[in-house]
Amino acid sequence: MTSPSSSVQEARKALGQRLAEIRKAAGLTKRALAQSLGWHESKASRFESGARSPSERDLRDWCSACGAESEAEDLVSTARGIEGMYVEWRKMERHGLKWAQESVVPLWERTERFRIYSPWLIPGPVQTASYITALLTSIRDRRGLIDDVPAAVKVRVEKQQVVYGNHKFAILLEESVLRYRIGGTAVMAGQLGYLLSVMALPSVSIGIIPQDADRSGLWPVEGFFLYDDELVNVELISAHLTVVQKHELAMYAKTFSELAELAVYGPAARELITAAIESLG
């Protein structure tokens, strides 16, 4: 699996390659292009290598100098997408946790097939309100955010209605997720009990990867949400990463399939969840 932090750089390089192709098609050297725009030659080189992100004006000027004005809007749209790929939590949550929850509702609603892998938490679509409250309260305190946890919990619970719609959820959990006591014993008991009930829904498939599974071929990786074949979201410690490069999406899809082969389902999965409940005492 490619390191998540490399995704933005990959996309910047791809944009730089497109700029180089446009320049070459116009028969211009980097020096000639830079001179026509009043730039230092190194500026054009940094754009093409992906070392520096061009502004929207830079992109329009580039296309104009190359006689490729028709390419400008598409390039600007691509650049905006790249800037949105890596968003620090402090920026995403500056208006509070409720706004951050609401911002992904359109994506949830239009996605038909969710593939979710979580190595450390029960994922959003199948969380209880108490579990959500414990998580968001911890995030609020750790990141020093405004206190809108109840409103944020309400939004997330409402988002969960997609589980009962025309959507399919394939969820893979590491067994250790069942043992992490988020919110304390009572909260975890309720959450694990809910997990048992939601497994009965025809729209939901839950697989548990046992702790004693042979991981010589594939060890635990970062948690991710794969929305159809459109994009992947990865939650990092400092930021929210969106992956849109086709070859990277294919890597996540392949990794999900390989992880799914390690998981147990049905009665075997229920046994692991029940054992986790009993261990709460």
Side-chain angles (χ1 to χ4, degrees), residues 219-242:
W219 51 89
V221 296
E222 70 271 10
F224 59 88
F225 276 56
L226 177 54
Y227 300 89
D228 291 324
D229 291 310
E230 179 185 350
L231 61 86
V232 166
N233 277 342
V234 183
E235 295 190 357
L236 307 176
I237 290 174
S238 60
H240 182 270
L241 180 73
T242 300

Side-chain angles (χ1 to χ4, degrees), residues 97 135-145 147 149:
L97 289 163
L135 285 176
L136 296 186
T137 299
S138 174
I139 290 170
R140 178 202 66 195
D141 295 344
R142 194 166 65 247
R143 296 177 184 158
L145 305 174
D147 187 8
V149 169

Side-chain angles (χ1 to χ4, degrees), residues 195-207:
L195 207 57
L196 287 173
S197 64
V198 83
M199 289 173 72
L201 294 173
S203 60
V204 178
S205 165
I206 294 180

Side-chain angles (χ1 to χ4, degrees), residues 20-268:
E21 290 165 4
I22 290 170
R23 173 182 59 76
K24 291 173 183 175
L28 294 172
T29 63
K30 278 181 279 192
R31 177 172 294 177
L33 174 65
Q35 287 178 342
S36 71
L37 294 172
W39 296 351
H40 192 281
E41 184 180 348
S42 63
K43 181 175 179 178
S45 293
R46 289 198 295 272
F47 288 162
E48 290 191 7
S49 68
R52 177 176 171 180
S53 298
S55 68
E56 293 183 15
R57 181 175 178 178
D58 290 332
L59 291 170
R60 291 193 171 96
D61 288 347
W62 187 291
C63 290
S64 178
C66 295
E69 288 86 350
S70 62
E71 300 271 2
E73 290 309 313
D74 187 43
L75 290 174
V76 167
S77 177
T78 298
R80 287 174 180 166
I82 293 170
E83 290 309 306
M85 286 175 66
Y86 187 93
V87 182
E88 289 188 16
W89 289 117
R90 64 182 179 180
K91 181 177 180 182
M92 187 172 183
E93 297 167 347
R94 67 186 183 278
H95 301 303
L97 289 163
K98 177 176 179 284
W99 183 88
Q101 293 297 317
E102 290 173 335
S103 67
V104 297
V105 169
L107 174 60
W108 278 45
E109 290 179 341
R110 72 172 181 265
T111 298
E112 295 180 1
R113 183 189 182 200
F114 293 75
R115 280 166 285 178
I116 303 167
Y117 165 71
S118 182
W120 54 74
L121 294 172
I122 305 294
V126 291
Q127 291 171 349
T128 63
S130 296
Y131 190 90
I132 296 168
T133 299
L135 285 176
L136 296 186
T137 299
S138 174
I139 290 170
R140 178 202 66 195
D141 295 344
R142 194 166 65 247
R143 296 177 184 158
L145 305 174
I146 63 172
D147 187 8
D148 65 347
V149 169
V153 171
K154 184 173 182 290
V155 172
R156 181 172 281 194
V157 169
E158 289 171 352
K159 279 163 54 180
Q160 292 177 338
Q161 292 306 306
V162 297
V163 173
Y164 302 96
N166 298 317
H167 308 265
K168 296 293 184 183
F169 290 82
I171 298 172
L172 298 176
L173 306 175
E174 296 287 345
E175 184 184 353
S176 55
V177 170
L178 310 177
R179 305 281 178 162
Y180 295 142
R181 298 194 180 188
I182 306 297
T185 302
V187 170
M188 276 309 297
Q191 175 61 73
L192 294 174
Y194 179 65
L195 207 57
L196 287 173
S197 64
V198 83
M199 289 173 72
L201 294 173
S203 60
V204 178
S205 165
I206 294 180
I208 311 292
I209 302 175
Q211 287 185 311
D212 60 1
D214 183 356
R215 306 304 289 264
S216 54
L218 184 63
W219 51 89
V221 296
E222 70 271 10
F224 59 88
F225 276 56
L226 177 54
Y227 300 89
D228 291 324
D229 291 310
E230 179 185 350
L231 61 86
V232 166
N233 277 342
V234 183
E235 295 190 357
L236 307 176
I237 290 174
S238 60
H240 182 270
L241 180 73
T242 300
V243 176
V244 295
Q245 298 282 91
K246 287 192 180 298
H247 72 279
E248 288 190 280
L249 293 177
M251 291 174 70
Y252 277 97
K254 181 174 183 289
T255 298
F256 186 88
S257 295
E258 292 172 348
L259 288 165
E261 292 179 4
L262 296 174
V264 297
Y265 303 85

